[in-house]
Amino acid sequence: MVKKKVPDWLNSSLWSSTTTTSSYYDTNHFDHHSSTSASTPIDPPLPSAATRDEQQHPPRHHHNYHPRKPDIKEDKHSKSSIVNDNISNNSSNSIINNKIENRKADNTESSADDISNQALLLTELSRKVINMGELRRIASQGIPDCAGIRSTVWKLLLGYLPPDRSLWSSELAKKRSQYKRFKEELLMNPSEITRRLEKTMGFDNDDAKSESRCVLARSKITHGEHPLSLGKSSIWNKFFQDSEIIEQIDRDVKRTHPDMHFFSGDSSFAKSNQEALRNILIVFAKLNPGIRYVQGMNEILAPLFYVFKNDPDEEMEACAEADTFFCFVELLSGFRDHFCQQLDNSVVGIRSAITRLSHLLKEHDEELWRHLEVTTKVNPQFYSFRWITLLLTQEFNFTDSIHIWDTLLSDPEGPQETLLRVCCAMLILVRRRLLAGDFTSILKLLQHYPPTSISHLLYVAGKLHGQPSH
């Protein structure tokens, strides 16, 4: 049987870069990197608002990421919007008008690529009706880390904002009002529901001003409203069933990015952000009884909330929780089957996605595929399950994960296919070490992926698109 040779593009001079290859293949750097066990906290700089002045931001230490600024810088002192707007809608104007002016000050700090992409994105976003195909093409090349551009683009890519900007104000108002109702209905304690039932049954009158006015008469409490009721329709029974999930959500939210002051710590700002994550996950779980909450959803939610909460537009920042909820629903709609255990072995389940990754590697680098799955018998599920289900949020530092998401969300076919190509590229980038390794060393490497250039990783993933090896 003739083995397929390595594709010609893998032999490009781009691969012989001293700084790039050393970070891939130098075994001295192997144990140095892990997204979950970094010795130095990695906290992308937050907007310089008063609530964030106290926070410290360690310098970035990820390697070879020169095309982009290493930190997320979004200044909340600039009362900026997204782009200039000629529409008469006042709310849309408040979102749009000032961002082009604010970009001028930032251009001197941006790289050439960022400046180019920034100008292209602002031009596209300034249209009355945005060309989504062009927006996806530009965004896939990277979104600048400045002034809320990513926040707006992600909302468009996820279908939360319509391409017609004249509809933004009404759509946002409708969705935010809907989320407010969700919270009122789904986060309410049954005791409060009982009090409201009392009022609707006519017990709230001028003559009932004693403390007992808030308690239903014994004869008026129905079976379904009794705390000891086990009926399926009982509000108390549902409340107690939800308690276990809510406790799990609470534990996971507190563990979300403990190295970032934005999510962790005793500050009121961090606690309010944790509360927002908690609310979103509980509402989602109650609205989706078939899936409920699965551990790891908090890791997928975190980048969305971080980006939207750091939008310099005050209205957008204030409504970040509601906007994040609907974008989270949209994002998870393409991956929800990965969280449903009953579908694990189906064509839409997680094992099917892992099999497709295996086939993709075999198509592009059969020698590496054979070494992993035949010679050393490394089951791809051992390393790729977390890669795929958590959208690579645990394999790279937070800032780099966000840059990867720019590309994932830009794919018109949905994030799934691009995600699998990025995972395949991750294997190809460390192929020399994998080919030289045994079962134990390979698993150690892939479960603690080494530092790498994100721009180069995405370049390789792009090369895998529709280009089989020869």
Side-chain angles (χ1 to χ4, degrees):
M1 181 176 180
V2 179
K3 294 184 180 180
K4 295 182 181 179
K5 67 177 183 178
V6 176
D8 293 339
W9 58 268
L10 274 174
N11 296 317
S12 165
S13 59
L14 193 62
W15 293 89
S16 60
S17 169
T18 303
T19 57
T20 299
T21 53
S22 64
S23 67
Y24 296 155
Y25 307 118
D26 183 358
T27 55
N28 293 330
H29 291 289
F30 178 87
D31 291 322
H32 148 77
H33 174 81
S34 173
S35 63
T36 58
S37 60
S39 59
T40 303
I42 303 176
D43 197 352
L46 299 171
S48 53
T51 58
R52 295 149 173 84
D53 285 341
E54 63 196 34
Q55 301 177 6
Q56 298 178 353
H57 309 295
R60 309 298 302 168
H61 63 266
H62 222 54
H63 304 306
N64 303 327
Y65 195 39
H66 42 79
R68 309 185 194 283
K69 293 183 292 182
D71 297 327
I72 293 180
K73 297 180 180 179
E74 296 180 350
D75 187 359
K76 296 194 67 150
H77 284 311
S78 63
K79 302 294 179 68
S80 58
S81 301
I82 302 168
V83 285
N84 283 335
D85 187 17
N86 295 322
I87 305 173
S88 60
N89 187 294
N90 290 334
S91 179
S92 292
N93 284 338
S94 68
I95 300 173
I96 303 296
N97 282 337
N98 299 320
K99 283 193 178 173
I100 290 180
E101 293 300 320
N102 290 324
R103 299 284 53 72
K104 294 178 181 178
D106 292 336
N107 282 351
T108 56
E109 302 175 0
S110 301
S111 67
D113 286 345
D114 277 346
I115 294 174
S116 176
N117 281 359
Q118 176 179 300
L120 292 171
L121 284 169
L122 290 173
T123 298
E124 192 55 48
L125 290 172
S126 66
R127 305 183 191 280
K128 291 188 65 174
V129 178
I130 295 167
N131 183 331
M132 290 303 299
E134 184 65 10
L135 183 70
R136 290 182 183 281
R137 185 191 67 79
I138 301 170
S140 68
Q141 301 171 13
I143 301 174
D145 294 327
C146 49
I149 294 179
R150 177 176 283 111
S151 173
T152 305
V153 172
W154 278 18
K155 291 172 185 175
L156 284 161
L157 295 176
L158 287 166
Y160 180 58
L161 287 177
D164 187 341
R165 281 173 42 216
S166 65
L167 300 176
W168 286 9
S169 178
S170 60
E171 285 295 314
L172 289 174
K174 180 174 68 176
K175 291 292 181 63
R176 290 164 179 173
S177 176
Q178 185 179 7
Y179 180 70
K180 182 180 179 181
R181 291 196 302 273
F182 286 156
K183 289 179 66 177
E184 291 173 350
E185 296 171 5
L186 300 174
L187 300 182
M188 188 184 303
N189 188 291
S191 297
E192 179 62 25
I193 298 177
T194 301
R195 294 189 185 97
R196 294 192 179 191
L197 286 172
E198 177 209 20
K199 293 182 179 181
T200 62
M201 297 177 70
F203 288 90
D204 187 15
N205 53 60
D206 293 337
D207 297 328
K209 294 186 177 181
S210 65
E211 293 181 0
S212 62
R213 68 188 292 254
C214 292
V215 181
L216 281 175
R218 186 181 184 90
S219 61
K220 298 295 183 180
I221 298 178
T222 66
H223 177 71
E225 295 158 10
H226 196 285
L228 299 181
S229 172
L230 298 178
K232 292 184 179 180
S233 61
S234 168
I235 57 175
W236 282 98
N237 188 30
K238 291 179 180 177
F239 173 76
F240 291 129
Q241 287 180 345
D242 291 338
S243 296
E244 184 177 348
I245 292 177
I246 292 174
E247 290 174 2
Q248 182 64 61
I249 290 174
D250 286 337
R251 287 193 294 269
D252 289 351
V253 165
K254 290 176 182 177
R255 290 195 291 251
T256 302
H257 295 288
D259 54 348
M260 291 178 61
H261 298 294
F262 181 89
F263 294 108
S264 182
D266 296 326
S267 69
S268 59
F269 177 65
K271 289 186 179 300
S272 69
N273 291 336
Q274 289 181 355
E275 183 68 17
L277 296 181
R278 179 182 185 273
N279 291 341
I280 293 170
L281 292 170
I282 293 175
V283 170
F284 178 86
K286 291 190 175 186
L287 290 175
N288 295 270
I291 300 178
R292 309 280 279 175
Y293 171 76
V294 179
Q295 282 187 281
M297 287 183 177
N298 58 306
E299 302 294 349
I300 298 176
L301 178 63
L304 292 172
F305 182 71
Y306 180 89
V307 168
F308 298 161
K309 188 67 175 177
N310 284 321
D311 192 310
D313 182 270
E314 291 184 353
E315 178 188 351
M316 292 297 183
E317 186 270 341
C319 298
E321 182 180 327
D323 295 345
T324 301
F325 169 77
F326 286 102
C327 288
F328 177 68
V329 171
E330 290 293 334
L331 177 60
L332 222 59
S333 65
F335 295 93
R336 59 181 296 161
D337 294 333
H338 293 173
F339 292 95
C340 187
Q341 188 173 3
Q342 293 85 346
L343 297 176
D344 278 354
N345 295 315
S346 71
V347 294
V348 294
I350 182 62
R351 288 196 176 91
S352 175
I354 294 173
T355 298
R356 284 156 55 203
L357 171 60
S358 174
H359 291 166
L360 190 64
L361 178 63
K362 183 179 182 181
E363 177 185 4
H364 292 282
D365 194 338
E366 185 170 351
E367 180 185 7
L368 179 57
W369 170 85
R370 186 171 299 281
H371 179 74
L372 291 177
E373 299 195 25
V374 179
T375 305
T376 59
K377 301 187 184 307
V378 174
N379 188 326
Q381 183 174 332
F382 295 160
Y383 58 86
S384 64
F385 183 90
R386 186 178 71 182
W387 292 7
I388 296 172
T389 55
L390 300 187
L391 307 188
L392 299 175
T393 55
Q394 301 299 289
E395 314 316 316
F396 304 96
N397 69 43
F398 193 77
T399 303
D400 288 344
S401 296
I402 286 178
H403 286 299
I404 292 174
W405 277 34
D406 290 341
T407 300
L408 297 183
L409 300 182
S410 299
D411 192 333
E413 301 173 359
Q416 178 83 274
E417 297 307 315
T418 299
L419 174 63
L420 295 180
R421 287 193 292 270
V422 173
C423 291
C424 185
M426 289 169 65
L427 296 170
I428 291 175
L429 290 187
V430 292
R431 72 185 308 273
R432 295 180 189 173
R433 291 174 62 180
L434 293 175
L435 290 172
D438 58 11
F439 180 90
T440 302
S441 63
I442 288 173
L443 272 189
K444 186 178 180 183
L445 174 64
L446 297 181
Q447 291 179 350
H448 302 276
Y449 197 79
T452 190
S453 163
I454 301 303
S455 58
H456 188 53
L457 172 65
L458 296 176
Y459 165 82
V460 175
K463 282 288 188 179
L464 299 177
H465 187 33
Q467 183 177 341
S469 60
H470 300 290

